Amino acid sequence: MIRRLPSVCLALSLLVALPGCLTPRWAQPVNPFMNDDNDRGKAALAAKDYVMALEFYGRLAAKDPENMQARYQLALINQELGRYDEAYGHYRVVYVSASEEGAPRADGSISDEPLYAAADRNLNLLGARLAKNDPDLRVIKEDRARKIEEAKAKLKAEAEADKAEEAAKDEARKAMRGELKKGPCNPTNLKGC
């Protein structure tokens, strides 16, 4: 019995220590601020545990279907896992939402590129890879391109109108100061004034 005591003690100590070792660090409640699925998803992505990140971001998207950041992350994760059809679907939802939020990067920072633009870029890549022909998406893209062109034309017209108004104000100021010559009037010929 005394010979078995060290092996029994070793076995008991392993049972106590092993569960803490088997749990991934990002899943352990070490950080009191890591209490939501978004933080856990980021930690899982940092650990390159895409399956757990998929679960966390999936929960976020299920809780709030309007959360385009979570949907975009789901698309990125699915693409990384080789699930291209699911990724295409999530990118499509993000693109149609026209979200102006910044697109997340792999390192956790947020880019200046809007989510819908990043989703459009990835849709084009995946669409070519999957040989997708999505006529509804094409109509949405054409409509969005038309609206963007209309907005650009409106801004250009407003800028030209502002420029013309400023030129008219400059002419009025010069006329008030007497800097403009009117017709044949000049100091040497006063007959036509």
Side-chain angles (χ1 to χ4, degrees), residues 54 71-97 116 118-141:
L54 192 64
R71 288 198 178 269
Y72 186 79
Q73 288 289 15
L74 281 172
L76 288 174
I77 295 164
N78 277 312
Q79 186 174 353
E80 188 68 31
L81 292 173
R83 299 175 181 172
Y84 299 120
D85 287 325
E86 290 91 350
Y88 187 87
H90 288 295
Y91 284 134
R92 191 177 193 284
V93 169
V94 172
Y95 179 77
V96 171
S97 76
Y116 79 88
D120 181 36
R121 183 173 29 82
N122 287 311
L123 272 173
N124 291 334
L125 294 171
L126 278 179
R129 181 180 198 132
L130 297 172
K132 290 263 186 187
N133 186 11
D134 195 345
D136 294 334
L137 187 63
R138 191 175 315 122
V139 169
I140 292 168
K141 284 184 176 186

Coordinates of all heavy atoms in Angstrom, one line a residue, residues 54 71-97 116 118-141:
L54 N -16.3 30.7 -35.0 CA -17.6 30.5 -35.8 C -18.8 30.4 -34.8 O -19.8 31.0 -35.0 CB -17.5 29.2 -36.6 CG -18.5 29.0 -37.7 CD1 -18.4 30.1 -38.7 CD2 -18.3 27.7 -38.4
R71 N -21.6 39.2 -38.9 CA -21.9 38.5 -40.2 C -20.6 38.5 -41.1 O -20.3 37.6 -41.7 CB -23.1 39.1 -40.9 CG -24.4 38.8 -40.3 CD -25.5 39.0 -41.3 NE -26.8 38.7 -40.6 CZ -27.3 37.5 -40.7 NH1 -26.7 36.5 -41.3 NH2 -28.5 37.3 -40.2
Y72 N -19.9 39.7 -41.1 CA -18.7 39.8 -41.9 C -17.7 38.8 -41.3 O -17.0 38.1 -42.1 CB -18.2 41.2 -41.9 CG -17.0 41.4 -42.9 CD1 -17.2 41.5 -44.2 CD2 -15.8 41.5 -42.4 CE1 -16.2 41.7 -45.1 CE2 -14.7 41.6 -43.2 CZ -14.9 41.7 -44.6 OH -13.8 41.9 -45.4
Q73 N -17.5 38.8 -40.0 CA -16.6 37.8 -39.4 C -17.0 36.4 -39.7 O -16.1 35.6 -40.0 CB -16.5 38.0 -37.9 CG -15.8 39.3 -37.5 CD -14.3 39.2 -37.7 OE1 -13.8 38.4 -38.4 NE2 -13.6 40.2 -37.1
L74 N -18.3 36.1 -39.7 CA -18.7 34.7 -40.1 C -18.3 34.4 -41.5 O -17.9 33.3 -41.8 CB -20.2 34.6 -39.9 CG -20.8 34.4 -38.5 CD1 -22.3 34.5 -38.5 CD2 -20.3 33.1 -38.0
A75 N -18.5 35.4 -42.4 CA -18.1 35.1 -43.8 C -16.6 34.9 -43.9 O -16.1 33.9 -44.6 CB -18.5 36.4 -44.6
L76 N -15.8 35.7 -43.2 CA -14.3 35.5 -43.2 C -13.9 34.1 -42.7 O -13.1 33.4 -43.2 CB -13.6 36.6 -42.4 CG -13.6 38.0 -43.0 CD1 -13.0 39.0 -42.0 CD2 -12.8 38.0 -44.3
I77 N -14.5 33.7 -41.6 CA -14.2 32.4 -40.9 C -14.6 31.3 -41.8 O -13.9 30.3 -42.0 CB -14.9 32.4 -39.5 CG1 -14.3 33.4 -38.6 CG2 -14.7 31.0 -39.0 CD1 -15.1 33.6 -37.3
N78 N -15.8 31.4 -42.4 CA -16.3 30.3 -43.3 C -15.4 30.2 -44.5 O -15.1 29.1 -45.0 CB -17.7 30.6 -43.7 CG -18.7 30.1 -42.7 OD1 -18.6 28.9 -42.3 ND2 -19.7 30.9 -42.4
Q79 N -14.9 31.3 -45.0 CA -14.0 31.3 -46.1 C -12.7 30.7 -45.7 O -12.1 29.9 -46.5 CB -13.8 32.7 -46.6 CG -13.0 32.8 -47.9 CD -12.9 34.2 -48.4 OE1 -13.5 35.2 -47.9 NE2 -12.1 34.4 -49.4
E80 N -12.2 31.0 -44.6 CA -11.0 30.4 -44.1 C -11.1 28.9 -43.9 O -10.2 28.1 -44.1 CB -10.6 31.0 -42.7 CG -9.2 30.6 -42.2 CD -8.1 31.1 -43.1 OE1 -8.2 32.2 -43.7 OE2 -7.1 30.5 -43.1
L81 N -12.3 28.4 -43.5 CA -12.6 27.0 -43.3 C -12.9 26.2 -44.6 O -13.1 25.0 -44.6 CB -13.7 26.8 -42.3 CG -13.4 27.2 -40.8 CD1 -14.6 27.1 -40.0 CD2 -12.3 26.3 -40.3
G82 N -13.0 27.0 -45.7 CA -13.3 26.4 -47.0 C -14.8 26.2 -47.2 O -15.1 25.5 -48.2
R83 N -15.6 26.8 -46.5 CA -17.0 26.8 -46.6 C -17.5 28.0 -47.5 O -18.0 28.9 -47.0 CB -17.7 26.8 -45.3 CG -17.4 25.6 -44.4 CD -18.0 25.8 -43.0 NE -17.7 24.7 -42.2 CZ -18.0 24.7 -40.9 NH1 -18.6 25.7 -40.3 NH2 -17.6 23.7 -40.1
Y84 N -17.2 27.9 -48.8 CA -17.3 29.1 -49.6 C -18.8 29.5 -49.9 O -19.1 30.6 -50.0 CB -16.6 28.8 -51.0 CG -15.1 28.6 -50.8 CD1 -14.6 27.4 -51.2 CD2 -14.3 29.5 -50.2 CE1 -13.2 27.1 -51.0 CE2 -13.0 29.3 -50.0 CZ -12.4 28.1 -50.4 OH -11.1 27.9 -50.2
D85 N -19.7 28.5 -49.9 CA -21.1 28.8 -50.1 C -21.7 29.6 -49.0 O -22.4 30.6 -49.1 CB -22.0 27.6 -50.4 CG -21.7 27.0 -51.8 OD1 -21.5 27.8 -52.7 OD2 -21.7 25.8 -51.9
E86 N -21.3 29.2 -47.7 CA -21.8 29.9 -46.5 C -21.2 31.3 -46.5 O -21.8 32.3 -46.2 CB -21.5 29.1 -45.3 CG -22.3 27.9 -45.1 CD -21.6 26.6 -45.7 OE1 -20.6 26.8 -46.4 OE2 -22.0 25.5 -45.4
A87 N -19.9 31.4 -46.8 CA -19.2 32.7 -46.8 C -19.9 33.6 -47.8 O -20.1 34.8 -47.6 CB -17.7 32.5 -47.2
Y88 N -20.2 33.1 -49.0 CA -20.8 33.9 -50.1 C -22.1 34.4 -49.5 O -22.5 35.6 -49.7 CB -21.0 33.0 -51.3 CG -21.5 33.8 -52.5 CD1 -20.7 34.4 -53.4 CD2 -22.9 33.9 -52.7 CE1 -21.1 35.2 -54.4 CE2 -23.4 34.7 -53.8 CZ -22.5 35.3 -54.7 OH -22.9 36.0 -55.7
G89 N -22.9 33.6 -48.9 CA -24.2 34.0 -48.3 C -24.1 35.2 -47.3 O -24.8 36.1 -47.3
H90 N -23.1 35.0 -46.4 CA -22.9 36.1 -45.4 C -22.3 37.4 -46.1 O -22.8 38.5 -45.7 CB -21.9 35.6 -44.3 CG -22.5 34.6 -43.4 ND1 -23.5 34.9 -42.6 CD2 -22.2 33.3 -43.2 CE1 -23.8 33.8 -41.9 NE2 -23.0 32.8 -42.2
Y91 N -21.4 37.2 -47.0 CA -20.9 38.4 -47.7 C -22.1 39.1 -48.5 O -22.2 40.4 -48.5 CB -19.9 38.1 -48.7 CG -18.5 37.8 -48.2 CD1 -17.8 36.7 -48.6 CD2 -17.9 38.6 -47.2 CE1 -16.5 36.4 -48.1 CE2 -16.7 38.4 -46.7 CZ -16.0 37.3 -47.1 OH -14.7 37.0 -46.6
R92 N -23.0 38.3 -49.0 CA -24.1 38.9 -49.7 C -25.0 39.7 -48.8 O -25.5 40.8 -49.1 CB -24.9 37.8 -50.4 CG -26.0 38.3 -51.4 CD -26.6 37.1 -52.1 NE -27.4 37.4 -53.2 CZ -28.6 38.0 -53.1 NH1 -29.1 38.3 -52.0 NH2 -29.2 38.3 -54.2
V93 N -25.3 39.2 -47.6 CA -26.1 39.9 -46.6 C -25.5 41.2 -46.2 O -26.1 42.2 -46.1 CB -26.4 39.0 -45.4 CG1 -27.0 39.8 -44.3 CG2 -27.3 37.8 -45.8
V94 N -24.2 41.1 -46.0 CA -23.4 42.4 -45.6 C -23.5 43.4 -46.7 O -23.7 44.6 -46.5 CB -22.0 42.0 -45.2 CG1 -21.2 43.3 -44.9 CG2 -22.0 41.2 -43.9
Y95 N -23.3 42.9 -48.0 CA -23.3 43.8 -49.1 C -24.6 44.5 -49.3 O -24.7 45.7 -49.5 CB -22.9 43.1 -50.4 CG -22.9 44.0 -51.6 CD1 -21.9 44.9 -51.8 CD2 -23.9 44.0 -52.5 CE1 -21.9 45.8 -52.9 CE2 -24.0 44.9 -53.6 CZ -22.9 45.8 -53.7 OH -22.9 46.6 -54.8
V96 N -25.7 43.7 -49.2 CA -27.0 44.2 -49.4 C -27.4 45.2 -48.2 O -28.1 46.2 -48.5 CB -28.1 43.1 -49.5 CG1 -29.5 43.6 -49.4 CG2 -27.8 42.3 -50.7
S97 N -26.9 45.0 -47.1 CA -27.2 45.9 -45.9 C -26.6 47.3 -46.1 O -27.1 48.3 -45.5 CB -26.6 45.4 -44.6 OG -25.2 45.6 -44.6
Y116 N -19.6 47.2 -46.7 CA -20.2 46.7 -47.9 C -19.2 46.7 -49.1 O -19.3 45.8 -49.9 CB -21.4 47.6 -48.3 CG -21.1 48.9 -48.9 CD1 -20.9 49.0 -50.3 CD2 -20.9 50.1 -48.2 CE1 -20.6 50.2 -50.9 CE2 -20.6 51.3 -48.8 CZ -20.4 51.4 -50.1 OH -20.1 52.5 -50.7
A118 N -15.9 46.0 -48.7 CA -15.1 44.8 -48.4 C -15.9 43.6 -48.8 O -15.3 42.6 -49.4 CB -14.7 44.8 -47.0
A119 N -17.2 43.6 -48.5 CA -18.0 42.4 -48.8 C -18.1 42.3 -50.4 O -18.1 41.2 -50.9 CB -19.4 42.5 -48.2
D120 N -18.2 43.4 -51.1 CA -18.3 43.4 -52.5 C -17.1 42.8 -53.1 O -17.1 42.0 -54.0 CB -18.6 44.8 -53.0 CG -18.7 44.9 -54.5 OD1 -19.3 43.9 -55.1 OD2 -18.2 45.9 -55.1
R121 N -15.9 43.2 -52.6 CA -14.6 42.7 -53.1 C -14.6 41.2 -52.9 O -14.2 40.5 -53.8 CB -13.5 43.4 -52.4 CG -12.1 43.0 -52.8 CD -11.0 43.9 -52.2 NE -11.3 44.4 -50.8 CZ -11.1 43.7 -49.7 NH1 -10.8 42.5 -49.7 NH2 -11.4 44.3 -48.5
N122 N -15.0 40.7 -51.7 CA -14.9 39.3 -51.5 C -16.0 38.5 -52.2 O -15.8 37.4 -52.6 CB -15.1 39.0 -50.0 CG -13.8 39.4 -49.2 OD1 -12.7 39.0 -49.6 ND2 -14.0 40.1 -48.1
L123 N -17.2 39.2 -52.5 CA -18.2 38.6 -53.3 C -17.7 38.3 -54.7 O -18.0 37.3 -55.3 CB -19.4 39.4 -53.4 CG -20.5 39.3 -52.3 CD1 -21.5 40.3 -52.4 CD2 -21.1 37.9 -52.3
N124 N -17.0 39.3 -55.3 CA -16.4 39.1 -56.6 C -15.4 38.0 -56.7 O -15.4 37.2 -57.6 CB -15.8 40.4 -57.1 CG -16.8 41.5 -57.3 OD1 -17.9 41.3 -57.6 ND2 -16.4 42.8 -57.2
L125 N -14.6 37.9 -55.7 CA -13.6 36.8 -55.6 C -14.3 35.4 -55.5 O -14.0 34.5 -56.2 CB -12.6 37.0 -54.5 CG -11.7 38.2 -54.6 CD1 -10.9 38.4 -53.3 CD2 -10.7 38.0 -55.8
L126 N -15.2 35.3 -54.5 CA -15.9 34.1 -54.3 C -16.8 33.7 -55.5 O -17.0 32.6 -55.8 CB -16.6 34.1 -53.0 CG -15.8 33.8 -51.8 CD1 -16.7 33.8 -50.5 CD2 -15.2 32.5 -51.8
G127 N -17.5 34.7 -56.0 CA -18.4 34.5 -57.1 C -17.6 33.9 -58.3 O -18.1 33.0 -59.0
A128 N -16.4 34.4 -58.6 CA -15.6 33.8 -59.7 C -15.2 32.4 -59.3 O -15.2 31.5 -60.2 CB -14.4 34.7 -59.9
R129 N -14.8 32.2 -58.1 CA -14.3 30.9 -57.7 C -15.5 29.9 -57.7 O -15.2 28.7 -58.1 CB -13.8 31.0 -56.2 CG -13.3 29.7 -55.7 CD -12.7 29.8 -54.3 NE -11.9 28.7 -54.1 CZ -10.7 28.7 -53.5 NH1 -10.2 29.9 -53.2 NH2 -9.9 27.7 -53.3
L130 N -16.7 30.3 -57.3 CA -17.8 29.3 -57.3 C -18.6 29.4 -58.6 O -19.6 28.6 -58.7 CB -18.7 29.7 -56.2 CG -18.2 29.6 -54.8 CD1 -19.1 30.1 -53.7 CD2 -17.8 28.1 -54.4
A131 N -18.2 30.2 -59.6 CA -18.9 30.4 -60.8 C -20.4 30.7 -60.6 O -21.3 30.2 -61.1 CB -18.8 29.1 -61.7
K132 N -20.6 31.7 -59.6 CA -21.9 32.1 -59.3 C -22.4 33.1 -60.3 O -21.7 34.0 -60.7 CB -22.0 32.7 -57.9 CG -21.7 31.8 -56.8 CD -23.0 31.4 -56.2 CE -22.8 30.5 -55.0 NZ -24.0 30.0 -54.4
N133 N -23.7 33.0 -60.7 CA -24.3 34.0 -61.5 C -25.6 34.4 -60.8 O -26.6 33.8 -60.8 CB -24.7 33.4 -62.9 CG -25.2 34.4 -63.8 OD1 -25.2 35.6 -63.6 ND2 -25.8 34.0 -64.9
D134 N -25.4 35.5 -60.1 CA -26.5 36.0 -59.2 C -27.1 37.2 -59.8 O -26.7 38.4 -59.6 CB -25.9 36.3 -57.8 CG -26.9 36.5 -56.7 OD1 -28.1 36.6 -57.0 OD2 -26.5 36.4 -55.5
P135 N -28.2 37.1 -60.5 CA -28.8 38.2 -61.2 C -29.4 39.3 -60.2 O -29.3 40.4 -60.5 CB -29.9 37.6 -62.1 CG -30.2 36.3 -61.6 CD -28.9 35.8 -60.9
D136 N -29.9 38.8 -59.1 CA -30.5 39.8 -58.1 C -29.3 40.6 -57.6 O -29.5 41.8 -57.4 CB -31.1 39.0 -57.0 CG -32.4 38.3 -57.4 OD1 -33.0 38.7 -58.4 OD2 -32.7 37.3 -56.7
L137 N -28.2 40.0 -57.3 CA -27.1 40.8 -56.8 C -26.6 41.8 -57.9 O -26.2 42.9 -57.5 CB -25.9 39.9 -56.4 CG -24.8 40.5 -55.7 CD1 -25.2 41.2 -54.4 CD2 -23.7 39.5 -55.4
R138 N -26.6 41.4 -59.1 CA -26.2 42.2 -60.2 C -27.1 43.5 -60.3 O -26.6 44.6 -60.4 CB -26.2 41.5 -61.5 CG -25.5 42.3 -62.6 CD -25.4 41.5 -63.9 NE -25.0 40.1 -63.7 CZ -25.7 39.1 -64.1 NH1 -26.8 39.2 -64.7 NH2 -25.2 37.8 -63.9
V139 N -28.4 43.3 -60.1 CA -29.3 44.4 -60.1 C -29.0 45.3 -58.9 O -29.1 46.6 -59.1 CB -30.8 43.9 -60.1 CG1 -31.8 45.0 -59.8 CG2 -31.1 43.2 -61.3
I140 N -28.8 44.8 -57.8 CA -28.5 45.6 -56.6 C -27.2 46.4 -56.8 O -27.1 47.6 -56.5 CB -28.3 44.7 -55.3 CG1 -29.7 44.1 -55.0 CG2 -27.8 45.5 -54.2 CD1 -29.6 43.0 -53.9
K141 N -26.2 45.7 -57.4 CA -24.9 46.4 -57.7 C -25.1 47.6 -58.7 O -24.6 48.7 -58.5 CB -23.9 45.5 -58.2 CG -23.3 44.6 -57.2 CD -22.2 43.7 -57.7 CE -21.5 42.9 -56.7 NZ -20.4 42.1 -57.2

